[in-house]
């Protein structure tokens, strides 16, 4: 088998096959270059798309943060803005309904501000469940002297 292969290669080179070999090598190099170019263009397109996506998400986050700060002054906020105290994490506001007027506190409200299609995080859902199930308590802590 090896003898047949060598004889065919000798015949190939003897009949001027070196030009064909060069053409084969050139075709392989061209194919490699074309593949490289396609990959580079594809990567460039994916990077551009990822950057656009990152900017879009960043704007959404910044818009949400700004929305949290002005939410108490927008229509439909569930309590008097003067009763609300910004916490930030894990809920946005804790409101003491009635505190601003100096009267009796009627209820304590946990307020989570969302915009657009945003939904509650796992931690926010856990807090909501605790409140709905009445798993709350008040603790007075005294600093040891």
């Amino acid at each position: 088998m090896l003898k047949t292969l060598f004889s065919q290669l000798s015949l190939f080179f003897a009949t001027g096959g070196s030009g064909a070999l060069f053409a084969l090598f050139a075709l392989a190099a061209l194919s490699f270059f074309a593949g490289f170019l396609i990959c580079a263009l594809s990567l460039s397109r994916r990077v551009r798309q990822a950057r656009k996506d990152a900017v879009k998400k960043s704007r959404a986050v910044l818009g949400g943060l700004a929305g949290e700060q002005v939410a108490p002054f927008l229509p439909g906020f569930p309590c008097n803005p003067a009763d609300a105290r910004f916490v930030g994490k894990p809920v946005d506001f804790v409101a003491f309904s009635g505190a601003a007027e100096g009267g009796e506190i009627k209820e304590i409200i946990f307020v989570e501000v969302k915009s657009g299609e945003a939904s509650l995080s796992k931690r926010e859902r856990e807090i909501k469940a605790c409140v709905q199930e009445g798993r709350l308590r008040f603790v007075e802590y005294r600093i040891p002297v």
Side-chain angles (χ1 to χ4, degrees):
M1 178 158 165
L2 266 172
K3 187 176 181 184
T4 310
L5 180 63
F6 281 122
S7 66
Q8 286 178 353
L9 279 173
S10 324
L11 182 62
F12 176 75
F13 286 114
T15 58
S18 60
L21 186 61
F22 177 75
L24 184 64
F25 176 74
L27 182 62
L30 187 61
S31 297
F32 175 79
F33 180 71
F36 177 78
L37 189 60
I38 289 169
C39 273
L41 291 174
S42 174
L43 178 64
S44 174
R45 183 176 38 86
R46 288 194 315 245
V47 167
R48 272 195 316 274
Q49 185 59 40
R51 284 183 179 156
K52 283 181 184 177
D53 190 47
V55 167
K56 182 179 176 183
K57 287 179 181 177
S58 176
R59 285 182 182 153
V61 167
L62 291 174
L65 291 173
E68 287 175 0
Q69 298 299 316
V70 299
F73 308 102
L74 297 176
F77 194 73
C79 62
N80 182 344
D83 290 339
R85 303 294 177 264
F86 182 75
V87 178
K89 291 279 181 200
V91 294
D92 293 323
F93 294 92
V94 176
F96 303 92
S97 183
E101 294 89 32
E104 179 182 330
I105 294 179
K106 300 172 192 96
E107 67 178 331
I108 298 172
I109 307 168
F110 292 89
V111 181
E112 180 59 34
V113 177
K114 295 291 181 194
S115 63
E117 300 291 319
S119 60
L120 293 176
S121 69
K122 181 178 184 273
R123 181 64 66 203
E124 292 162 351
R125 288 190 304 271
E126 291 170 349
I127 292 168
K128 181 179 179 180
C130 284
V131 171
Q132 288 174 335
E133 295 166 11
R135 293 183 283 143
L136 300 167
R137 62 187 179 131
F138 179 87
V139 176
E140 182 178 350
Y141 174 74
R142 294 193 177 263
I143 298 173
V145 230

